[in-house]
Amino acid sequence: MGKNVINVGFLGCGNVGAGTIKVLHDNAEAIRRKIGAEIRVKRVAVAHLDKARPEWVDRDLLTTDPADVIDDPEIDILAETIGGLNPAKAYLIRAMERGKHIVSANKELLAKEGHDLLPVAAERGLDFFFEGAVAGGIPIIRPLMTDLAANRIDRIEGIVNGTTNFILTKMAHEGRDFGEVLAEAQKLGYAEVDPTDDVEGYDAAYKLAILASTAFSSRVPIREVYFEGIRNVSAADIHSAAELGYVIKLLAIAKRAGDSMELRVHPAFVPKLHPLSAVNDVFNALFLHGDAVGDVMFYGRGAGSLPTGSAVAGDIMDIARNIRTDSTARVASTCFAQLPILPMDEVQTRYYIRMRVEDRPKVLAAVANVLGDHQVSIASVVQRETHDGQAEIVWLTHPAVERNMKAALEEIRNLPAVRAVNNMIRVED
Amino acid sequence: MGKNVINVGFLGCGNVGAGTIKVLHDNAEAIRRKIGAEIRVKRVAVAHLDKARPEWVDRDLLTTDPADVIDDPEIDILAETIGGLNPAKAYLIRAMERGKHIVSANKELLAKEGHDLLPVAAERGLDFFFEGAVAGGIPIIRPLMTDLAANRIDRIEGIVNGTTNFILTKMAHEGRDFGEVLAEAQKLGYAEVDPTDDVEGYDAAYKLAILASTAFSSRVPIREVYFEGIRNVSAADIHSAAELGYVIKLLAIAKRAGDSMELRVHPAFVPKLHPLSAVNDVFNALFLHGDAVGDVMFYGRGAGSLPTGSAVAGDIMDIARNIRTDSTARVASTCFAQLPILPMDEVQTRYYIRMRVEDRPKVLAAVANVLGDHQVSIASVVQRETHDGQAEIVWLTHPAVERNMKAALEEIRNLPAVRAVNNMIRVED
């Protein structure tokens, strides 16, 4: 059986790259016995030779020239951990042209350019794995492609961004406001100096696109994925949610809707009895439903050097087995479907609405009438005095069509007695 | 690439067999596109031809002669869903001698005879998969062997028996006693007429042996696995647990302890904040810790026709891919270690003890002294009057050695003022 040494080259040795190297190093002997071959880190391309590195990174392997990895004919597997679209994409295409198998944890690259990259791998009989791109160390991509492959997956609801989950958890437990908690998360290193990617939902949208594509065997044009971040979630919303028996989570949702897909990332009310409601701090979880398996949940650390390193190293081991048995590309990314994405305006869900109105007769009725005019039916409503001549009204609706809900809100905002529509958050039961 | 039709033969068409056939039937087209070949059910051996079958089972495929499956040279994969040791073991060996790959959901067979069966597969270059043998539809065996393969797994704590979890959940939510709830579970079909396998912990012990062997790459002699069922758990214990912030679950626990393994199945106190505490009814979950990935949990339906059918069908698809790429046996079950099992007497854990004593001075002190004499240190204690001249005392200890705990209880039982030691349940924090 095949080669006794499988050579791996790294592009990048930051958080994920160094974590992967540590895992391969610490468990080298067990990995060798499981694979029947040694996995050797042969070369590591970095931006700066002089930067401090953890002690398990052999400085002799470092190079500043990516070509030393991409063009080395002895390297079998290229692990890309530099992130971003460019130059990662060009590097990976060149590496595949040179016959290298790819492992990448680069969610932005996979979500935006996967449709260009994966066919190159398939044509050349190469493996291209990306377990680490979604939910860090949690096994999800491979289970979807193997263990659960016989299922028709109907829906996935995921908490896939650790930074926002940390912020929402803190806000809920400590009753604090978004800005304050974000600042603390930045100080702790859980949020970036520029938190846009996490806080505005980009990161979750990338992961959702990869998940949906894998689960539904369909292309997912990332531009059509609706996403919204958590900036508008206030302590008052979280408090209202708790009173109604919910917690607020940033959910990534993929559902089959007839022959279309519903794909959306936004803050959502999750019932306290739902397993996702207990996923706190930086933890991630994926809750999914298949026609045979029913409900399944995967839970764990969605980011971090070692958890993501665990996923990247697992991908490397799987490719090594394929190389040893001459069976690379045995599990191809089969996007045989081209399911259209349901426009957000046509999505049906339930809604929470919080508003400020003047505290005088018939205001509640006026708002309720507008909702009714737009086929939005009310499940529950609570009005409270605020002792400043105003009242706060919190509505929970029955399922309604997004377009109707938006039209209703537009009209409600223009009612003379309505001071502000503070927030509208979707409710997922 | 390889064959366009992969033939599967079934031994057995009960709950799991019929569920698997349904999954393969319902999603046939998607499965064909994912594999690149058709998976065809060619023959199904059953005990009775005349028995009623679901409509998706083609009666023309039925035979009462297992040899029609085992000896058919056109059958590539044999799915064994008859259960039990004999004749299943002999059938599988004969099928492997005829070059057939095996999928089995037979936990008793794997736990007791896996050490005989898996080497036959390995020697002949055959696949032998058993994802359905542990926790039904929940992906766990393959994730351990692939996604998480780079980790050193330190421990697994699982709720792996749906029947006992249903019973414990009902007891907790409704304050009812074991016997009553068992009778109801039997009426609902959640417990067998002879419930021994589930209720006494045999089923969980089989699954634990398979899990530990997979996670620790070690042989596990099933006779050395300690197990205890839930018959002695009373409504009073569940009530005490709740007051102390715990729920009682039947846990299957595998831990590395130095160069040994700790393997045990027993009722356990699980803190209410632990994710396993919220796993209710017939659901199963596996909570595990790896050196790189950290904590991970897998949750879903641990039994049932379609969930287990999902796992068996996933195994069949994985083998079909291997057949297509001529790479069967690419992931072998590598039990390269022979870790000894720590004798139960040497296990360290915390304990809950509930006892009845005479309500007079110095009794609590006498019991506490015996515990102390045996190096059992007390974390908390609550004594309550019972208004019949007796008192109930509930103790929670700090970690202690099982041998010492047992010796202490022996001595406590003989104290003149002690009427009864009602229960001792281990506490897993």
Side-chain angles (χ1 to χ4, degrees):
Chain A
M1 291 244 294
K3 320 169 71 154
N4 291 319
V5 176
I6 309 286
N7 286 311
V8 184
F10 281 77
L11 293 184
C13 189
N15 206 17
V16 175
T20 306
I21 293 171
K22 179 170 167 58
V23 178
L24 292 173
H25 171 268
D26 287 358
N27 297 324
E29 175 55 15
I31 290 172
R32 191 186 62 72
R33 299 194 75 154
K34 288 178 186 178
I35 301 300
E38 181 191 344
I39 291 179
R40 186 177 293 165
V41 178
K42 185 156 190 274
R43 212 89 165 98
V44 181
V46 296
H48 305 286
L49 281 185
D50 298 336
K51 207 176 139 183
R53 308 272 169 198
E55 79 275 8
W56 61 82
V57 175
D58 181 350
R59 303 192 73 92
D60 294 343
L61 304 182
L62 302 184
T63 172
T64 52
D65 185 357
D68 289 344
V69 174
I70 299 168
D71 299 333
D72 180 343
E74 291 184 356
I75 288 179
D76 304 289
I77 303 171
L78 184 145
E80 181 268 307
T81 64
I82 48 179
L85 287 189
N86 297 307
K89 182 181 179 184
Y91 287 167
L92 294 193
I93 286 177
R94 203 167 96 201
M96 288 191 281
E97 286 167 357
R98 280 153 182 69
K100 297 194 192 328
H101 307 282
I102 307 291
V103 177
S104 171
N106 187 334
K107 56 218 164 234
E108 184 181 1
L109 182 63
L110 263 298
K112 291 183 177 167
E113 307 289 341
H115 62 284
D116 273 359
L117 290 165
L118 297 177
V120 176
E123 276 160 33
R124 295 178 174 261
L126 299 168
D127 279 328
F128 192 126
F129 290 161
F130 45 89
E131 183 64 81
V134 180
I138 306 174
I140 183 61
I141 299 297
R142 189 170 285 99
L144 282 170
M145 297 186 78
T146 58
D147 283 273
L148 301 175
N151 284 265
R152 177 181 163 96
I153 304 292
D154 311 312
R155 66 173 187 274
I156 304 179
E157 286 150 319
I159 295 173
V160 294
N161 181 276
T163 304
T164 47
N165 204 43
F166 174 84
I167 293 172
L168 290 172
T169 303
K170 274 256 175 204
M171 288 174 70
H173 291 177
E174 299 171 13
R176 290 157 69 198
D177 255 315
F178 172 78
E180 204 182 317
V181 176
L182 171 62
E184 188 185 327
Q186 286 171 315
K187 223 185 291 171
L188 290 169
Y190 290 158
E192 308 278 342
V193 180
D194 173 3
T196 311
D197 240 33
D198 294 317
V199 163
E200 308 292 358
Y202 290 88
D203 174 85
Y206 298 148
K207 292 166 177 169
L208 179 64
I210 298 169
L211 277 171
S213 175
T214 306
F216 301 152
S217 302
S218 178
R219 292 276 177 86
V220 173
I222 182 74
R223 271 180 205 80
E224 296 178 35
V225 176
Y226 178 85
F227 67 97
E228 209 180 277
I230 64 164
R231 247 183 222 287
N232 293 329
V233 177
S234 70
D237 296 318
I238 290 176
H239 183 73
S240 294
E243 284 188 338
L244 294 161
Y246 294 86
V247 297
I248 299 180
K249 295 291 185 189
L250 182 68
L251 288 192
I253 299 170
K255 283 186 193 176
R256 287 187 194 268
D259 286 328
S260 306
M261 297 183 277
E262 213 179 286
L263 301 178
R264 46 197 170 98
V265 170
H266 53 68
F269 273 41
V270 177
K272 278 184 187 162
L273 289 176
H274 193 286
L276 284 176
S277 76
V279 176
N280 288 322
D281 302 318
V282 295
F283 279 88
N284 280 197
L286 296 141
F287 192 88
L288 53 92
H289 186 271
D291 61 348
V293 75
D295 288 333
V296 189
M297 188 171 81
F298 300 80
Y299 165 96
R301 290 188 176 274
S305 174
L306 289 178
T308 310
S310 161
V312 174
D315 277 353
I316 290 172
M317 288 177 71
D318 210 27
I319 296 177
R321 284 169 164 149
N322 288 345
I323 292 174
R324 292 262 300 157
T325 54
D326 203 15
S327 62
T328 52
R330 60 180 279 290
V331 182
S333 297
T334 44
C335 284
F336 50 79
Q338 297 265 24
L339 305 179
I341 299 178
L342 194 72
M344 192 62 195
D345 268 354
E346 295 176 27
V347 163
Q348 275 215 26
T349 181
R350 298 179 59 205
Y351 297 87
Y352 148 93
I353 311 151
R354 185 168 59 85
M355 57 182 61
R356 279 281 184 139
V357 300
E358 284 169 26
D359 193 5
R360 55 182 169 82
K362 295 200 178 167
V363 176
L364 189 132
V367 174
N369 276 330
V370 175
L371 290 170
D373 289 346
H374 291 274
Q375 285 82 49
V376 178
S377 158
I378 298 156
S380 76
V381 57
V382 178
Q383 171 164 343
R384 276 198 198 81
E385 295 180 84
T386 57
H387 305 291
D388 55 358
Q390 296 183 16
E392 183 180 78
I393 313 182
V394 168
W395 309 80
L396 275 190
T397 76
H398 287 299
V401 176
E402 177 98 359
R403 178 190 295 112
N404 295 343
M405 187 70 231
K406 276 162 44 182
L409 285 183
E410 195 52 42
E411 209 173 312
I412 289 166
R413 276 196 185 91
N414 290 327
L415 291 176
V418 171
R419 291 300 180 87
V421 174
N422 303 92
N423 214 342
M424 178 271 268
I425 299 179
R426 297 170 191 89
V427 178
E428 303 295 323
D429 285 316
Chain B
M1 290 244 294
K3 320 166 71 153
N4 290 321
V5 176
I6 310 285
N7 287 311
V8 185
F10 281 76
L11 292 183
C13 189
N15 206 18
V16 175
T20 307
I21 292 172
K22 180 169 166 60
V23 178
L24 293 174
H25 170 268
D26 287 358
N27 298 323
E29 175 55 16
I31 289 172
R32 190 186 64 70
R33 299 194 76 154
K34 288 178 185 177
I35 300 301
E38 181 191 345
I39 291 180
R40 186 179 293 166
V41 178
K42 182 155 190 276
R43 211 90 166 97
V44 181
V46 296
H48 305 287
L49 279 186
D50 298 336
K51 209 175 137 182
R53 309 274 167 197
E55 78 277 5
W56 60 84
V57 176
D58 181 351
R59 302 191 76 92
D60 293 343
L61 304 181
L62 302 184
T63 170
T64 54
D65 185 357
D68 288 344
V69 174
I70 299 169
D71 299 334
D72 180 344
E74 290 185 356
I75 288 180
D76 304 289
I77 303 172
L78 185 145
E80 183 268 307
T81 64
I82 49 179
L85 288 188
N86 298 305
K89 183 180 178 185
Y91 287 167
L92 294 194
I93 286 178
R94 203 167 95 202
M96 286 191 282
E97 285 167 359
R98 281 155 182 66
K100 295 192 193 331
H101 307 281
I102 308 289
V103 177
S104 172
N106 188 333
K107 55 218 164 232
E108 184 181 1
L109 182 65
L110 265 297
K112 290 183 177 167
E113 307 290 341
H115 61 284
D116 273 0
L117 290 165
L118 298 177
V120 177
E123 276 160 32
R124 295 181 175 261
L126 298 168
D127 279 327
F128 192 127
F129 290 160
F130 46 88
E131 182 64 80
V134 180
I138 306 174
I140 182 64
I141 300 295
R142 188 169 284 101
L144 282 170
M145 298 186 76
T146 57
D147 284 274
L148 302 174
N151 284 264
R152 179 182 161 95
I153 304 292
D154 310 313
R155 69 175 184 274
I156 305 180
E157 286 150 318
I159 295 173
V160 295
N161 182 274
T163 304
T164 47
N165 203 44
F166 175 82
I167 293 173
L168 290 171
T169 303
K170 274 254 173 205
M171 289 174 69
H173 291 177
E174 299 170 13
R176 291 156 70 196
D177 254 316
F178 172 78
E180 201 183 317
V181 175
L182 171 61
E184 186 184 328
Q186 287 172 314
K187 222 184 294 171
L188 290 169
Y190 289 159
E192 308 276 342
V193 179
D194 173 3
T196 312
D197 242 36
D198 294 315
V199 163
E200 307 292 358
Y202 290 88
D203 174 84
Y206 298 147
K207 292 166 178 169
L208 179 63
I210 297 170
L211 277 172
S213 176
T214 306
F216 301 153
S217 302
S218 179
R219 291 277 176 86
V220 172
I222 181 73
R223 272 179 204 81
E224 295 178 36
V225 176
Y226 178 85
F227 66 97
E228 211 180 276
I230 64 164
R231 249 184 221 288
N232 294 328
V233 177
S234 69
D237 296 319
I238 290 176
H239 184 74
S240 294
E243 284 188 339
L244 293 161
Y246 294 86
V247 295
I248 299 181
K249 295 290 183 188
L250 181 68
L251 287 192
I253 300 170
K255 282 186 192 174
R256 288 188 193 266
D259 287 328
S260 305
M261 297 183 274
E262 216 180 283
L263 300 179
R264 45 194 170 100
V265 170
H266 53 67
F269 274 41
V270 178
K272 279 185 188 162
L273 289 176
H274 194 287
L276 285 177
S277 75
V279 176
N280 288 324
D281 302 318
V282 295
F283 279 88
N284 280 197
L286 296 140
F287 192 87
L288 53 91
H289 186 270
D291 61 348
V293 75
D295 289 333
V296 189
M297 188 170 82
F298 300 80
Y299 166 97
R301 291 189 176 272
S305 174
L306 289 178
T308 309
S310 160
V312 174
D315 278 354
I316 290 171
M317 288 177 71
D318 210 26
I319 297 177
R321 282 168 165 150
N322 288 346
I323 291 174
R324 292 262 302 158
T325 54
D326 202 15
S327 62
T328 54
R330 59 179 282 287
V331 181
S333 297
T334 43
C335 283
F336 50 78
Q338 297 264 25
L339 305 180
I341 299 179
L342 194 72
M344 193 61 195
D345 269 354
E346 295 176 28
V347 162
Q348 276 213 29
T349 180
R350 298 179 60 206
Y351 297 88
Y352 148 92
I353 311 152
R354 184 167 60 86
M355 56 181 63
R356 279 281 183 138
V357 300
E358 287 170 23
D359 193 6
R360 55 184 171 79
K362 294 203 180 166
V363 177
L364 190 132
V367 175
N369 276 331
V370 176
L371 289 170
D373 289 346
H374 291 274
Q375 285 82 52
V376 179
S377 161
I378 298 156
S380 76
V381 56
V382 178
Q383 173 166 341
R384 275 198 197 83
E385 295 178 85
T386 59
H387 305 292
D388 56 359
Q390 297 184 14
E392 182 181 79
I393 314 183
V394 168
W395 310 80
L396 274 190
T397 76
H398 287 297
V401 177
E402 177 98 359
R403 178 191 293 111
N404 295 342
M405 189 69 230
K406 274 160 49 178
L409 285 182
E410 195 52 42
E411 211 174 310
I412 289 166
R413 278 197 183 88
N414 291 326
L415 291 176
V418 171
R419 293 298 180 88
V421 175
N422 303 92
N423 214 343
M424 178 270 267
I425 298 178
R426 297 170 191 90
V427 178
E428 304 296 323
D429 285 319

